[in-house]
Amino acid sequence: MNVILASTSTLFGGNYLEYLTKELTELFKGTEEIIFIPFARPGGISHEEYTAKAKDFFSGLNIKIKGLHEFANPVEAVHAAKGFFTGGGNTFLLVKTLHELGLMGVLSENIKKGKAYLGCSAGSNIGGINMKTTNDMPIVYPSSFDCMGLVPFNLNPHYLDPNPDLKHNGETRETRIKEFLTQNDIKVVGLREGNWIRIRGNKITTEGTEETRIFEPGKAPYELKPGASLV
Amino acid sequence: MNVILASTSTLFGGNYLEYLTKELTELFKGTEEIIFIPFARPGGISHEEYTAKAKDFFSGLNIKIKGLHEFANPVEAVHAAKGFFTGGGNTFLLVKTLHELGLMGVLSENIKKGKAYLGCSAGSNIGGINMKTTNDMPIVYPSSFDCMGLVPFNLNPHYLDPNPDLKHNGETRETRIKEFLTQNDIKVVGLREGNWIRIRGNKITTEGTEETRIFEPGKAPYELKPGASLV
């Protein structure tokens, strides 16, 4: 496989995908056109406008973008594509739409054959076993929480450390992930902003500027340095 | 109806339910025993321990507590009960369990007949039309997101204003609720900590120390003062 699952599309104060420019040049090397999957975006901007944003960035890498919503038969479009990018937004809406269109398995199959894939935020969540560690609000009801399983664990993008100054009784991210572990025997990778997961062949590593926090059933959470192996 | 739907069980620096003592004395006036619904709690403490925590507080009001998990037939137990308290935790786990046990409709029916109900956090979410505005992580997959519909809107407990200092690209609570509104034609009540919704008969008001933020489709969000009518 040849995959990047990034915590976020945009670093604070940066431009869209800018911090990943070098990595994306390598990920999509030799790929002239990729399909953009805009389904996570629930409002504010349309699928067309969201796709235009991706086009804008990738034109700088001489890569053409087509939105998956432009195709009459999206299943065929995925089979014919050379590579994929799924943008962020709401994971429930993304997963619901992919299941409705019969695309979750088709996308997974094509990526597992070696087609390049970039996911950001919600687009990274769907690379995990299921979407049960998303941070998003359940604004729609998907027919299943199952995802592509590109990696043998779940992801928590935008991972945020507890803020000891916050006088608020909502659960911290760490508490939420520990709650997940009481109900599921699945490792969770807490991806801080600035980090991503890289799959090259059958090697999976954690990359970026921050340490990555790992949660496993029956273990204290621990940190991995950039470049560490994830399996 | 005779209902309190509270944003949180515990204010920062306070004890469990302490800030609601006066209101709960009135809510459960003349009720000797109520049933505690501990199903939202995913781990850390057992149903027994969670029920003991509720018992501890309500003994000070001379009200006995029985945990719903103690009954061989929970449906019958709900029909026989005088009042209810659903504690906080994970809304997905709570809603999944209530649907599995066939309790969502039974509980709703008994509360709509006039039996007193207290919900905190996840226990308040289930008072809304559906759970699509919970803040919780989807650690389990419920058979439906539908809730009791005690009020003709949805709740967002632990409502938190955007923090302009946060250098993080995760969505704010306001953004999430606006995303909900793009997919659902349902009003959302953002309940800050310290606030609760009170139903007396067919009057619904917002109560507590803070203003309450209201989100409606096609309108700018607005604030209601404590004591304002919600319908």
Side-chain angles (χ1 to χ4, degrees), chain B residues 28-184:
Chain B
F28 291 118
K29 201 178 162 184
T31 312
E32 283 174 16
E33 183 177 283
I34 60 180
I35 282 188
F36 179 63
I37 302 173
F39 301 142
R41 194 50 72 105
I45 65 172
S46 67
H47 289 161
E48 285 72 25
E49 289 168 311
Y50 198 19
T51 303
K53 200 174 161 184
K55 266 184 192 163
D56 195 42
F57 173 81
F58 278 99
S59 70
L61 307 186
N62 283 316
I63 295 172
K64 283 186 208 125
I65 292 277
K66 275 206 168 169
L68 188 50
H69 64 288
E70 298 168 32
F71 294 88
N73 187 330
V75 170
E76 274 179 21
V78 167
H79 283 309
K82 303 275 168 47
F84 310 97
F85 167 31
T86 306
N90 183 287
T91 310
F92 290 87
L93 188 57
L94 175 61
V95 168
K96 177 173 185 278
T97 309
L98 290 176
H99 282 304
E100 275 173 358
L101 298 175
L103 287 171
M104 190 70 86
V106 174
L107 196 56
S108 172
E109 179 193 322
N110 276 273
I111 298 165
K112 285 174 180 170
K113 277 184 195 158
K115 293 183 185 176
Y117 179 81
L118 166 65
C120 290
S121 191
S124 293
N125 265 313
I126 62 169
I129 294 173
N130 60 49
M131 58 162 288
K132 292 181 182 175
T133 49
T134 178
N135 310 307
D136 294 337
M137 193 171 261
I139 61 173
V140 295
Y141 184 71
S143 63
S144 161
F145 283 168
D146 292 345
C147 290
M148 295 195 288
L150 305 180
V151 289
F153 47 79
N154 267 10
L155 281 81
N156 181 256
H158 302 287
Y159 181 77
L160 195 59
D161 292 291
N163 174 358
D165 297 333
L166 195 64
K167 294 182 176 175
H168 184 264
N169 269 309
E171 293 87 351
T172 65
R173 191 67 59 79
E174 175 150 333
T175 302
R176 292 169 193 274
I177 295 173
K178 286 178 174 171
E179 289 180 358
F180 169 82
L181 292 180
T182 68
Q183 308 292 317
N184 301 271

Side-chain angles (χ1 to χ4, degrees), chain A residues 30-42:
Chain A
T31 313
E32 282 174 17
E33 183 176 284
I34 60 181
I35 281 187
F36 178 64
I37 302 173
F39 301 142
R41 194 49 73 106

Side-chain angles (χ1 to χ4, degrees), chain A residues 5-196:
Chain A
L5 305 174
S7 175
T8 185
S9 62
T10 315
L11 289 185
F12 185 82
N15 294 317
Y16 192 61
L17 295 174
E18 189 180 44
Y19 78 103
L20 285 169
T21 303
K22 190 169 146 261
E23 284 72 23
L24 297 182
T25 306
E26 189 216 336
L27 178 75
F28 291 117
K29 201 180 161 183
T31 313
E32 282 174 17
E33 183 176 284
I34 60 181
I35 281 187
F36 178 64
I37 302 173
F39 301 142
R41 194 49 73 106
I45 66 173
S46 66
H47 289 160
E48 285 71 27
E49 289 168 312
Y50 198 19
T51 304
K53 199 172 162 187
K55 267 184 191 161
D56 195 42
F57 172 82
F58 279 99
S59 70
L61 307 186
N62 283 315
I63 295 172
K64 283 186 209 123
I65 291 277
K66 275 207 167 168
L68 188 49
H69 64 287
E70 297 169 32
F71 294 87
N73 187 328
V75 170
E76 274 179 21
V78 167
H79 283 309
K82 303 276 169 44
F84 309 97
F85 167 32
T86 305
N90 183 286
T91 310
F92 290 86
L93 188 57
L94 174 62
V95 168
K96 177 173 185 278
T97 309
L98 289 176
H99 282 305
E100 274 173 359
L101 298 175
L103 286 172
M104 190 69 87
V106 173
L107 195 56
S108 170
E109 179 193 322
N110 276 273
I111 298 165
K112 286 174 179 169
K113 277 183 194 160
K115 293 183 185 176
Y117 179 80
L118 166 66
C120 291
S121 192
S124 293
N125 264 314
I126 62 168
I129 293 173
N130 60 49
M131 57 162 290
K132 292 182 183 174
T133 49
T134 178
N135 309 308
D136 293 336
M137 194 172 260
I139 62 173
V140 295
Y141 184 71
S143 63
S144 161
F145 283 169
D146 291 346
C147 291
M148 295 195 288
L150 305 179
V151 290
F153 48 79
N154 267 9
L155 281 82
N156 181 254
H158 303 286
Y159 181 77
L160 195 59
D161 292 292
N163 175 358
D165 297 332
L166 195 64
K167 294 181 178 175
H168 184 263
N169 270 309
E171 292 87 351
T172 66
R173 191 67 58 80
E174 176 149 331
T175 302
R176 292 169 195 273
I177 296 174
K178 285 178 173 171
E179 289 180 358
F180 169 82
L181 292 180
T182 68
Q183 309 292 317
N184 301 271
D185 187 17
I186 293 177
K187 179 161 91 174
V188 182
V189 173
L191 267 188
R192 294 187 178 91
E193 294 195 346
N195 279 13
W196 62 92

